[in-house]
Amino acid sequence: MAHCTVPEAEAILDREFPVLDKGFVRLVDYLGGDERIVQAARVSYGKGTKTLREDSALIDYLLRHRHTSPFEQVVLTFHIKMPIFVARQWVRHRTARLNEISGRYSVMKDDFYVPAAEDVSLQSSDNKQGRAAEAVSGGFASDVRESLAAGQRTAYAEYNALIEKDVARELARINLPLSLYTEMYWQMDLHNLFHFLGLRLDSHAQKEIRDYAAVILEITRAVAPLAAASFERHIKGGVTFSSEEMEALRALLDGTGHSLTGKPLERFEEKLRSGKQL
Ligand SMILES: Cc1cc2nc3c(=O)[nH]c(=O)nc-3n(C[C@H](O)[C@H](O)[C@H](O)COP(=O)(O)OP(=O)(O)OC[C@H]3O[C@@H](n4cnc5c(N)ncnc54)[C@H](O)[C@@H]3O)c2cc1C
């Protein structure tokens, strides 16, 4: 009843899961798994290990009722290679422990992100923070990709020229763009990882960080499959309703009228139809 080894997690340790054009996620290490969550929860009740079905029900109960501390007993450490603009969103999650490549210490590699043609989109007209759903033509996408790549080539050539003149690395790097890849070791406990995944798998998050979050979820499924399934059931696949929306739901069930009108009604109906948090 001490050290938890999870065969599915052992099998993927150190394997690089590719993300975007040059990025990856790698599980460096893990501490605990579903078994640890159950042990930690049962220590408070003084009960021992039970059947898999009971363990699964316990984990689901804990997650559903936000009894979150047993999930903090599980810790995952990742090695991630991501563009700097993704890293800027990533580091907003303050409960992680991380170490990043130092551009003051190392010469940065000539590794830049260029979106795939199908990911090139126009600005969304109804979402100031997002992309339009309509596809652009192949020629347009190719021009955008070339424009981004040309800027990257120029920026790197100038960086390289400064490095060759022995300009301090901490200064030579300052014009490098956000599309440059960086790398970090990133460690998070499972409770906070689920919070991160809830936000970064959501359709409101930028496509590129969503791609990373999807791989992190896949790896998390290997480490703690029962907890990951509960996360997918209650957080990723669930939506919350306001008190007014709950009133409208009850009224729908009872066949009586409710007071939702205008935008709040539209949002409520869309939430019911799409199953998405709006
Ligand atoms: C789609 C999307 C769009 C966004 N757009 C913007 C934007 O335009 N501009 C912008 O600046 N940010 C933006 N953010 C970042 C966002 O505001 C949060 O900073 C980020 O999602 C991290 O969330 P968090 O603070 O809950 O997570 P974490 O930092 O991981 O914290 C987890 C939880 O721990 C608690 N916690 C952690 N640290 C503290 C603390 N010091 N004090 C109190 N409680 C703490 C909080 O309860 C928090 O919810 C965006 C995020 C998303 C997902």
Side-chain angles (χ1 to χ4, degrees):
M1 251 280 234
H3 183 65
C4 300
T5 304
V6 184
E8 292 76 7
E10 295 290 319
I12 59 163
L13 272 181
D14 275 340
R15 188 195 301 171
E16 275 186 17
F17 289 77
V19 193
L20 304 182
D21 56 352
K22 300 181 191 84
F24 63 74
V25 176
R26 193 165 69 81
L27 179 66
V28 174
D29 211 348
Y30 68 98
L31 173 74
D34 288 331
E35 195 187 337
R36 174 61 44 77
I37 299 167
V38 167
Q39 286 168 355
R42 292 223 168 97
V43 88
S44 40
Y45 313 136
K47 291 181 183 159
T49 308
K50 301 223 171 167
T51 64
L52 180 68
R53 213 156 66 92
E54 284 172 306
D55 286 353
S56 166
L58 173 60
I59 287 175
D60 205 62
Y61 175 89
L62 294 170
L63 198 116
R64 205 166 64 246
H65 292 272
R66 299 189 207 172
H67 184 359
T68 52
S69 49
F71 296 91
E72 292 173 24
Q73 300 281 351
V74 179
V75 178
L76 289 85
T77 305
F78 300 96
H79 177 186
I80 307 163
K81 180 176 173 185
M82 62 182 110
I84 291 174
F85 71 91
V86 172
R88 290 234 348 225
Q89 298 172 347
W90 206 288
V91 298
R92 298 303 305 275
H93 297 272
R94 297 159 289 175
T95 48
R97 290 157 294 278
L98 70 93
N99 291 95
E100 187 182 3
I101 282 186
S102 165
R104 300 177 67 194
Y105 188 87
S106 312
V107 173
M108 300 307 286
K109 289 185 211 148
D110 185 6
D111 269 348
F112 295 90
Y113 168 63
V114 178
E118 64 269 24
D119 292 329
V120 175
S121 305
L122 297 182
Q123 174 60 41
S124 164
S125 55
D126 57 357
N127 174 3
K128 291 198 172 106
Q129 249 189 352
R131 296 174 205 186
E134 297 74 30
V136 295
S137 73
F140 185 84
S142 153
D143 288 349
V144 171
R145 296 180 78 239
E146 181 42 39
S147 162
L148 291 171
Q152 294 164 353
R153 280 194 297 273
T154 307
Y156 196 80
E158 284 167 3
Y159 169 70
N160 214 23
L162 294 178
I163 291 289
E164 277 170 9
K165 282 184 196 147
D166 205 26
V167 170
R169 289 188 283 272
E170 67 179 13
L171 284 176
R173 63 159 176 182
I174 66 175
N175 275 1
L176 288 172
L178 295 178
S179 55
L180 184 74
Y181 273 91
T182 184
E183 290 182 41
M184 61 172 77
Y185 263 43
W186 188 72
Q187 188 187 73
M188 192 71 135
D189 69 66
L190 194 56
H191 163 57
N192 284 291
L193 188 64
F194 285 155
H195 178 71
F196 167 85
L197 289 174
L199 291 169
R200 300 305 180 177
L201 286 168
D202 189 90
S203 59
H204 295 92
Q206 183 164 346
K207 189 252 173 212
E208 283 77 8
I209 198 166
R210 268 191 277 133
D211 285 2
Y212 281 90
V215 173
I216 297 266
L217 175 58
E218 196 183 328
I219 293 174
T220 305
R221 277 195 207 106
V223 176
L226 297 177
S230 287
F231 160 77
E232 292 193 68
R233 188 175 306 125
H234 300 296
I235 301 177
K236 179 168 174 273
V239 288
T240 58
F241 292 104
S242 67
S243 53
E244 291 86 359
E245 288 172 336
M246 284 306 296
E247 200 184 299
L249 265 179
R250 278 187 216 102
L252 280 178
L253 287 173
D254 297 345
T256 55
H258 60 77
S259 57
L260 282 182
T261 54
K263 270 264 170 229
L265 178 59
E266 277 171 36
R267 192 166 48 239
F268 172 62
E269 288 177 343
E270 181 56 21
K271 211 190 266 190
L272 288 178
R273 257 192 299 275
S274 68
K276 283 188 184 161
Q277 192 67 47
L278 298 167

